[in-house]
Amino acid sequence: MTKHANNLSIDAKRLWNDLMETARIGGTARGGIRRLTLSEEDRRVRDWFKAECEKLGCTVQVDEVGNMFATRPGRNGTLPPIAMGSHLDTQPTGGKFDGVLGVLAGLECLRTLHAADYETHAPIMLVNWTNEEGSRFAPAMLGSGVHAGVFDRAYADSRLDSEGTSFAHAIEAIAYRGDVPAGATPIGAMFELHIEQGPILEAEGDTIGVVTGVQGMRWYDVDIVGRESHAGSTPMSMRRDALPAAAALVLAVQGAARACPGAVATVGTIAVHPGSRNVIPGAASLSVDLRHPDAGALDGIEAAIEQALAAICTEQGVTGTLRRIWDSPPVPFDPRCLASVRHAAGSLGYRMREITSGAGHDAAYIARVAPTAMIFVPCAGGLSHNEAEDASFDDCGAGAQVLLRAVLDYDRRLAEGRQEESP
Ligand SMILES: [Zn+2]
């Protein structure tokens, strides 16, 4: 057998079997998975993952927040490993592919390297990040966030689920508190394969999304204050009604996002006070979720919304405040990693397009500490965080093949000295 990187083919059927086998751990009657982080189901899939990696001769280490690192040695043991990874935890009514595909495709890549006895230059590592979903313990992407220094271990330990159980208690209950200090595992680069969780690739007939970054996200609270008064005896001209002002702002938010290509904005909640049929609303509070891949564009839309709010308040005789309560900056992925993904998808002949991620991912935090990129494959109808979430056999296989070739391309560039060895 010629051990050339371009001859290595992943086994799509073996990957699919792994997806279907592990989907039984926490499998739901409607074909989804309920595998909450640090639950008994999570323990079972972690045990499975560890055993499968060890069968391939990998060393599996666990850090103190439960992140699992399976390492396959390379020729140069001094190099930080090139990582593949995602998450095996799911939403309470999650699907079979979100996160799981990225980990199991990485496992399939390791199986392929192992079967071919292929030696890479740098070590190759597969990571299962703890609590990506954030549905049992908020916030999301907790394990990768701790690794990247966004949160510390004590913060992770203190998180409580809805029953009052702490992260610290839960991780010890399933015996996945490892002894590797959080953040101590070096990563030379990371590639995360994930389903798109949106409709674009499917709609355009593309197989591979080259994810150039994760869009920035800002959350706002808006409070509008008018004056409560009698619905029957207050003339229209003398009202200070908070709700029409809020309604106008909802449309202004929509208009500001529509005016800026690539932007999405959502008013997801609105509360009206006092909430009585015959009382003119004296106050209204709403939330705004704003996202765009570019920070400058976010600034522009934010200014437009502020301006609209001021004009609406004058017009309606009310007062209003807009407070930014959360700012998650856009994350551009690494050009060297992206070059390897483009090369991989191109050399395999897949239809591809560039895309930005609308959702957060572990890769967004890892990008702070290592060169990182993501690969998307389509999911049916763009549906995710749903038991009906679906991705095709062919697309899962294509994603795994691109993942393997991108990792090997990055490794080859390292070996040829075309990339600094310690990014
Ligand atoms: Zn995910």
Side-chain angles (χ1 to χ4, degrees):
M1 177 184 298
T2 321
K3 290 173 198 167
H4 188 269
N6 287 350
N7 291 342
L8 293 179
S9 283
I10 63 98
D11 181 339
K13 193 154 189 303
R14 190 167 54 185
L15 167 61
W16 192 258
N17 288 344
D18 282 348
L19 283 163
M20 296 308 129
E21 182 182 343
T22 54
R24 288 203 287 270
I25 305 175
T28 64
R30 292 165 138 187
I33 306 180
R34 176 190 172 85
R35 201 157 61 213
L36 298 180
T37 197
L38 307 182
S39 62
E40 175 58 20
E41 291 75 25
D42 190 16
R43 182 194 64 74
R44 284 170 55 206
V45 79
R46 283 165 175 269
D47 289 352
W48 180 92
F49 173 79
K50 182 169 185 286
E52 294 303 314
C53 291
E54 284 173 348
K55 278 184 207 165
L56 305 173
C58 295
T59 318
V60 180
Q61 289 191 300
V62 182
D63 76 10
E64 55 191 355
V65 291
N67 294 321
M68 301 176 73
F69 304 92
T71 309
R72 181 176 190 270
R75 268 192 307 279
N76 186 339
T78 64
L79 284 175
I82 301 172
M84 306 173 283
S86 198
H87 58 97
L88 290 172
D89 68 324
T90 76
Q91 289 284 330
T93 52
K96 290 195 280 288
F97 301 92
D98 173 3
V100 187
L101 176 63
V103 178
L104 298 187
L107 177 63
E108 176 52 36
C109 294
L110 292 178
R111 291 194 202 284
T112 304
L113 294 172
H114 182 73
D117 203 15
Y118 184 89
E119 195 178 37
T120 52
H121 180 59
I124 305 295
M125 187 162 76
L126 175 58
V127 191
N128 171 32
W129 298 108
T130 299
N131 190 30
E132 192 277 342
E133 294 291 359
S135 56
R136 181 177 180 195
F137 299 105
M141 301 174 283
L142 190 61
S144 52
V146 171
H147 181 88
V150 179
F151 314 116
D152 61 17
R153 175 189 154 168
Y155 175 79
D157 277 346
S158 71
R159 306 287 84 205
L160 300 177
D161 69 11
S162 60
E163 274 147 35
T165 304
S166 68
F167 180 99
H169 182 87
I171 197 170
E172 269 143 35
I174 66 160
Y176 267 92
R177 170 90 79 196
D179 47 17
V180 177
T185 306
I187 293 181
M190 189 178 88
F191 294 84
E192 181 172 4
L193 170 68
H194 207 281
I195 54 168
E196 180 197 346
Q197 303 181 285
I200 298 171
L201 294 176
E202 185 183 59
E204 311 245 314
D206 291 312
T207 303
I208 297 295
V210 180
V211 188
T212 53
V214 179
Q215 66 184 350
M217 174 163 37
R218 294 182 187 179
W219 282 358
Y220 305 87
D221 278 346
V222 181
D223 290 301
I224 295 172
V225 179
R227 189 181 55 199
E228 287 153 38
S229 54
H230 197 290
S233 52
T234 314
M236 294 307 286
S237 62
M238 296 176 70
R239 294 177 178 220
R240 289 161 52 197
D241 189 337
L243 191 53
L249 187 73
V250 173
L251 294 175
V253 167
Q254 185 190 47
R258 281 183 173 168
C260 178
V264 286
T266 307
V267 175
T269 68
I270 182 160
V272 182
H273 184 79
S276 170
R277 184 184 293 272
N278 53 359
V279 178
I280 296 165
S285 304
L286 35 138
S287 63
V288 180
D289 173 309
L290 171 64
R291 306 183 194 211
H292 193 282
D294 179 71
L298 290 169
D299 289 340
I301 300 167
E302 182 179 307
I305 295 173
E306 261 174 339
Q307 234 171 27
L309 177 62
I312 290 162
C313 287
T314 309
E315 152 99 20
Q316 299 283 343
V318 298
T319 58
T321 52
L322 176 90
R323 276 180 304 127
R324 192 204 286 174
I325 58 159
W326 189 45
D327 183 3
S328 172
V331 179
F333 284 137
D334 183 80
R336 294 160 294 178
C337 293
L338 288 172
S340 290
V341 173
R342 277 192 208 98
H343 170 82
S347 67
L348 290 160
Y350 291 122
R351 275 190 64 165
M352 64 173 141
R353 61 164 285 146
E354 302 209 336
I355 190 167
T356 18
S357 174
H361 291 289
D362 292 312
Y365 280 150
I366 300 311
R368 298 184 182 209
V369 293
T372 300
M374 292 188 76
I375 303 158
F376 276 174
V377 290
C379 60
L383 192 67
S384 184
H385 285 188
N386 189 307
E387 289 166 285
E389 177 185 277
D390 199 15
S392 76
F393 176 93
D394 287 345
D395 289 342
C396 290
Q401 186 65 55
V402 170
L403 176 65
L404 176 63
R405 200 169 281 192
V407 165
L408 294 180
D409 180 71
Y410 193 91
D411 183 61
R412 182 174 52 81
R413 289 173 199 240
L414 276 181
E416 291 169 359
R418 289 199 274 140
Q419 225 135 276
E420 317 94 86
E421 301 224 320
S422 305

